[in-house]
Amino acid sequence: MNKIIVLFLMLMILLGCGPTKELSMDDKEGYSGAWEGQLDLPNGKLTIVFHVDDDNGRLKAKMDSPNQGAMGIAMDKVTLENDTLLITSAALGMKFKGVLEGDTLVGTFSQGGSDFDLKMNKNANPVTLQRPQEPKGPFGYESEDVRFENSSAGIKLAGTLSYPSSGGPFAAAVLITGSGPQNRDEEIFGHKPFLLIADYLTKKGFAVLRYDDRGFGQSEGDAESATSRDLADDAEAAMAYLKTRSFIDSRKIGLIGHSEGGLINGMVAARNPETAFIIMLAGPGLRGDQLLLLQNRAIMEASGQDAEAVDKAVLENRRIYQLVTSEGAAARGKIAEILAEAGFDPENQEVMINAILSPWFIYFLKSDPADYLEKLNIPVLALFGEKDLQVPYEANMEAVEKALKKAGNKDFTVKAFPKMNHMFQGADKGLVEEYALIEETMSSIVLETMGDWLLQRF
């Protein structure tokens, strides 16, 4: 769930910049190039690369975080402040201040209220991420780019429909991504799990539709104002589109959702009884506010934070979530007080409050998967990873099972996989920063479990 966890690339704390002066040509020549260094974090080292270039007399920069599979992130500003190179990104809430000492750029990397020493050497070697599972053509099946309309929102969504080259009509699955705008492959840290799932299931005889989230990639719409309910409308439109294709069996169209997508597919199925099945991949079983508190604690503990710091953070988050769910936007002032007590300055508070009071976040905190799962009497497969820190498996698996039993559902399977994280990779601690370091995109065992379960029913 990319939107609700505090990651290196998702902190939204705006750091200010001091006075600047124009860079001379000599300055530009000295600072231009690729610079690589390592941040020494409490839970390991993180490689950072800045690519600084002269663009018609003005310096610009892009940043790579190879360990996280994030490459070519554009920086907002590259300036010279009192002979110090200053690189900033408001979106990431980060800045780097460095001074040239010979061939080394020595400085401080700041983000989220923390400062880290960072020494960077010039002429970094390009980093290539190894993703051996990524499917490569020729695929041996049909694959076409498609567009379909969500008429209620007045937008068109773009995706890829894959299906066997012969036979039919085929059972079909719509893939629904986790939180945060993502492309049709659910691409994250260089991994493309939805491409892998689509390839695997299509080769097993199924049609698969995956699409760019609204407001992302080639899909229309506003991602910032969208809630889980809006995204459920998009998934519903995808199902409606599949029914228009002659080679699809309209009685056998189901949904496969990862993370928040596992919440959304329950929403869609509950209001569309013709839905043939749903598969929840690390989907939540708990209400949003309860889930996030578990997540906060699990991530901090796995990161090595001491018990006192963990308890304090969870308490502060609990207070904020209670205010949001009870008062909504009217809680702005009270949330600001909590953030001030925690040491955030007014500028940082504003950015964080805007995220906390966004339509998506408010809706998610109040969303309870049980409201939808308790209505389902269709086949359900719910899979979890025992190393998952974003959707901790025990409490969520128990909640999913409880809701389906309450529904009187006679065909559901709930299963947890040892040593697998939120992405269903074999993992050590399950921390987010491990995702990019692991070459495996998704365990073949999980793919086989989905494929076998579907083949037994369709």
Side-chain angles (χ1 to χ4, degrees):
M1 298 179 125
N2 309 321
K3 206 168 187 174
I4 57 177
I5 53 179
V6 180
L7 302 179
F8 166 72
L9 295 176
M10 295 178 183
L11 289 168
M12 297 295 292
I13 301 170
L14 181 62
L15 300 177
C17 305
T20 65
K21 69 180 183 181
E22 185 67 24
L23 290 167
S24 71
M25 187 60 69
D26 289 342
D27 290 327
K28 294 170 185 174
E29 291 177 354
Y31 286 106
S32 293
W35 299 88
E36 180 178 320
Q38 285 192 325
L39 295 174
D40 192 4
L41 304 178
N43 54 347
K45 294 184 181 298
L46 185 69
T47 298
I48 297 295
V49 181
F50 287 117
H51 300 275
V52 182
D53 299 305
D54 182 357
D55 182 18
N56 295 321
R58 181 180 180 182
L59 283 182
K60 64 179 183 179
K62 293 184 177 181
M63 185 180 74
D64 298 339
S65 178
N67 300 128
Q68 296 177 307
M71 315 295 281
I73 306 166
M75 299 289 100
D76 296 330
K77 295 181 181 179
V78 184
T79 57
L80 190 66
E81 182 181 357
N82 301 324
D83 298 322
T84 298
L85 182 71
L86 179 64
I87 300 175
T88 65
S89 169
L92 302 183
M94 58 76 57
K95 66 180 177 181
F96 171 74
K97 283 186 176 182
V99 178
L100 273 178
E101 295 184 4
D103 293 330
T104 304
L105 191 56
V106 180
T108 303
F109 184 97
S110 303
Q111 189 177 46
S114 298
D115 297 330
F116 303 93
D117 293 335
L118 181 59
K119 292 184 179 181
M120 312 193 81
N121 296 315
K122 205 168 185 179
N123 299 322
N125 295 320
V127 177
T128 302
L129 298 173
Q130 301 299 319
R131 300 292 180 251
Q133 284 181 292
E134 183 173 326
K136 306 291 184 184
F139 298 111
Y141 53 78
E142 303 301 317
S143 181
E144 59 178 274
D145 291 335
V146 301
R147 295 180 70 84
F148 57 93
E149 185 175 9
N150 177 343
S151 57
S152 63
I155 61 174
K156 289 185 177 180
L157 301 158
T160 299
L161 175 60
S162 56
Y163 52 93
S165 297
S166 61
F170 308 109
V174 174
L175 305 189
I176 309 172
T177 69
S179 59
Q182 297 179 73
N183 67 19
R184 65 195 69 185
D185 295 329
E186 203 191 36
E187 187 169 357
I188 181 172
F189 305 135
H191 292 290
K192 299 178 181 179
F194 275 16
L195 171 60
L196 182 59
I197 292 173
D199 178 76
Y200 184 86
L201 293 182
T202 304
K203 289 176 178 176
K204 292 290 183 180
F206 296 91
V208 181
L209 175 59
R210 62 193 198 275
Y211 56 94
D212 299 334
D213 291 342
R214 68 161 66 188
F216 195 81
Q218 299 177 40
S219 288
E220 299 172 352
D222 181 10
E224 291 302 315
S225 63
T227 67
S228 301
R229 172 63 66 181
D230 298 317
L231 301 176
D233 291 343
D234 294 343
E236 199 169 65
M239 292 182 68
Y241 168 75
L242 286 178
K243 292 177 183 179
T244 69
R245 302 302 298 265
S246 61
F247 54 84
I248 301 294
D249 188 336
S250 61
R251 301 165 302 171
K252 298 179 180 180
I253 300 174
L255 305 162
I256 301 175
H258 178 229
S259 198
E260 185 196 6
L263 165 69
I264 291 170
N265 62 12
M267 288 182 177
V268 176
R271 67 190 191 193
N272 291 275
E274 72 276 13
T275 304
F277 65 88
I278 67 169
I279 295 179
M280 303 172 65
L281 298 174
L286 297 174
R287 186 174 132 135
D289 49 0
Q290 298 172 354
L291 170 67
L292 293 193
L293 290 173
L294 273 184
Q295 183 190 100
N296 299 153
R297 180 175 295 278
I299 291 175
M300 292 187 71
E301 289 178 345
S303 299
Q305 299 291 319
D306 64 74
E308 183 178 353
V310 173
D311 290 342
K312 180 181 179 182
V314 171
L315 177 61
E316 290 169 348
N317 286 335
R318 187 187 302 276
R319 292 170 62 195
I320 291 173
Y321 300 161
Q322 289 174 342
L323 286 169
V324 172
T325 55
S326 62
E327 301 181 24
R332 178 175 288 269
K334 295 177 182 177
I335 295 173
E337 292 177 3
I338 295 174
L339 294 176
E341 291 173 9
F344 293 97
D345 62 37
E347 193 171 20
N348 292 343
Q349 292 172 27
E350 187 66 19
V351 175
M352 297 186 72
I353 291 172
N354 287 339
I356 291 168
L357 295 179
S358 68
W360 180 88
F361 197 79
I362 293 174
Y363 190 95
F364 184 81
L365 287 181
K366 298 179 179 180
S367 296
D368 190 344
D371 292 340
Y372 314 106
L373 296 176
E374 289 175 1
K375 300 175 182 178
L376 300 186
N377 279 292
I378 59 173
V380 177
L381 175 63
L383 304 181
F384 298 88
E386 293 187 6
K387 291 285 186 178
D388 190 342
L389 302 179
Q390 294 176 240
V391 181
Y393 86 97
E394 287 183 299
N396 284 282
M397 185 168 68
E398 180 180 343
V400 168
E401 190 166 9
K402 180 180 178 181
L404 292 172
K405 285 181 177 178
K406 187 174 181 179
N409 193 307
K410 303 300 183 183
D411 186 7
F412 71 88
T413 303
V414 179
K415 182 179 178 64
F417 295 89
K419 300 180 180 180
M420 290 190 193
N421 61 20
H422 187 62
M423 303 299 293
F424 294 96
Q425 303 166 302
D428 179 19
K429 294 182 178 180
L431 290 164
V432 174
E433 51 262 41
E434 294 177 353
Y435 297 176
L437 301 176
I438 301 170
E439 292 187 358
E440 179 182 57
T441 294
M442 177 177 282
S443 169
S444 60
I445 297 173
V446 175
L447 292 169
E448 290 168 5
T449 299
M450 284 193 288
D452 292 346
W453 185 85
L454 287 169
L455 286 169
Q456 288 170 8
R457 289 161 177 79
F458 305 99

